[in-house]
Amino acid sequence: MRRVLCLVLLWGVAAAAATTGYKVIKEIPVGGEGGWDYLTVDSAARRLYVSHATHVAVVDIDAGKVVGDIPGTSGVHGIALVPALDRGFTSNGRTNNVTIFDLKTLKVISQVPTGMNPDSIRFEPVSGRVFTFNGRSNDSTAIDAKTGTVAGTIPLKGAPEFAVADGKGKIYVNIEDTSEIVEIDAAKLAVTKRYSLAPCEGPSGLALDAKERRLFSVCSNRVMAISDPDAGKVIATPAIGQGSDGAAFDPGTGFAFSSNGDGTMTVVQQTAGKWTVVENIATARGARTIALDDKTHNLYLPTAQTAPAAAGGRATYVPDTFKVLVVGK
């Protein structure tokens, strides 16, 4: 009996030690009206770029305040940054184009046509190209980051969601309607591999552990599909919260994160060769997308207060309640 009691006590201590220490440590008010999608951290410049319906809010993450704005990006989904060129790129879903802007002045340089409803956007450093992933035309538009001209279009045979680049010339993208990962050769502008994420359904957010070659897809059926892109197979499916649309991986801690619209953030880690859930952190309802600051290990999740919806109508948001939650220790 005494031995059993000791084992129970030791298990309790181990479980307590397993908590991550993450919590909401700050809220950054942004205000305004409308919805949002992705956000991007520039750790070196200490800026956060947040999509917000028709414009992009630019936040000083150390001061915790809005310091700039990029207007005229109707239906903006994502933001890609190329600091070496002092350029940023936004994917504008309603106008089927990309806005190129100056990272220092935030002034618009040009706009480039894309496929229909460009969603995720990603810079690939080996080819020097920016890729949009177009949800309605089921393809990807490649843009030369230096010249701002279209280099080509890649058919994807499905509706693409979030994408990541491995730094070696390959891009990986979730295909939501077929529940697959597609691998793209950025130089050849060609699909080089695709594989199933089953039992994952409807993958959206995606993150990458570039060193260990692992992809983290968050899925509508409340699992995180962890896959090996080289072998083309799923290796683990830990449970996550409901309504996830974003994923992140922190190479400094080894944690993978799922931002869930139900008001939680799931933390996953590999221990003794197994991927398991370490903790579910309370955030706020609607905080479904996420971005990581590699320097501080803080995470940023946007949300707003939901307004009562009309019968059969889409959810709307209470004006001036839009904010970014800062999750850290």
Side-chain angles (χ1 to χ4, degrees), residues 99 146 167 170 303 307 319:
T99 294
K146 188 176 291 185
K170 296 291 176 63
T303 190

Side-chain angles (χ1 to χ4, degrees), residues 30-56:
V30 178
E33 298 185 24
W36 64 92
D37 202 353
Y38 305 126
L39 65 170
T40 299
V41 175
D42 185 339
S43 291
R46 313 305 299 147
R47 280 181 165 182
L48 175 70
Y49 296 82
V50 188
S51 65
H52 195 196
T54 60
H55 63 109
V56 174

Side-chain angles (χ1 to χ4, degrees), residues 215-295:
L215 290 170
F216 306 89
S217 301
V218 294
C219 311
S220 62
N221 59 331
R222 301 182 62 175
V223 298
M224 176 186 285
I226 302 171
S227 66
D228 178 338
D230 300 323
K233 66 178 184 179
V234 174
I235 59 174
T237 53
I240 60 173
Q242 186 173 4
S244 179
D245 197 25
F249 177 78
D250 187 344
T253 64
F255 290 131
F257 304 91
S258 170
S259 50
N260 312 313
D262 64 7
T264 63
M265 182 184 77
T266 304
V267 186
V268 174
Q269 187 179 38
Q270 186 178 34
T271 305
K274 289 186 66 177
W275 287 95
T276 57
V277 174
V278 180
E279 193 175 7
N280 282 291
I281 313 297
T283 55
R285 291 195 68 83
R288 68 187 190 278
T289 55
I290 190 169
L292 169 75
D293 178 7
D294 292 329
K295 183 178 179 179

Side-chain angles (χ1 to χ4, degrees), residues 101-161:
F101 65 94
D102 186 291
L103 287 179
K104 292 179 179 176
T105 66
L106 304 182
K107 291 183 178 179
V108 172
I109 297 170
S110 64
Q111 291 187 320
V112 185
T114 65
M116 295 175 64
N117 188 26
D119 192 345
S120 176
I121 186 167
R122 178 64 52 184
F123 174 63
E124 197 292 304
V126 176
S127 64
R129 292 166 173 165
V130 171
F131 292 77
T132 66
F133 294 87
N134 311 314
R136 204 160 290 134
S137 53
N138 293 353
D139 56 19
S140 173
T141 303
I143 299 168
D144 186 295
K146 188 176 291 185
T147 64
T149 57
V150 173
T153 301
I154 308 165
L156 297 176
K157 297 181 181 179
E161 266 285 340

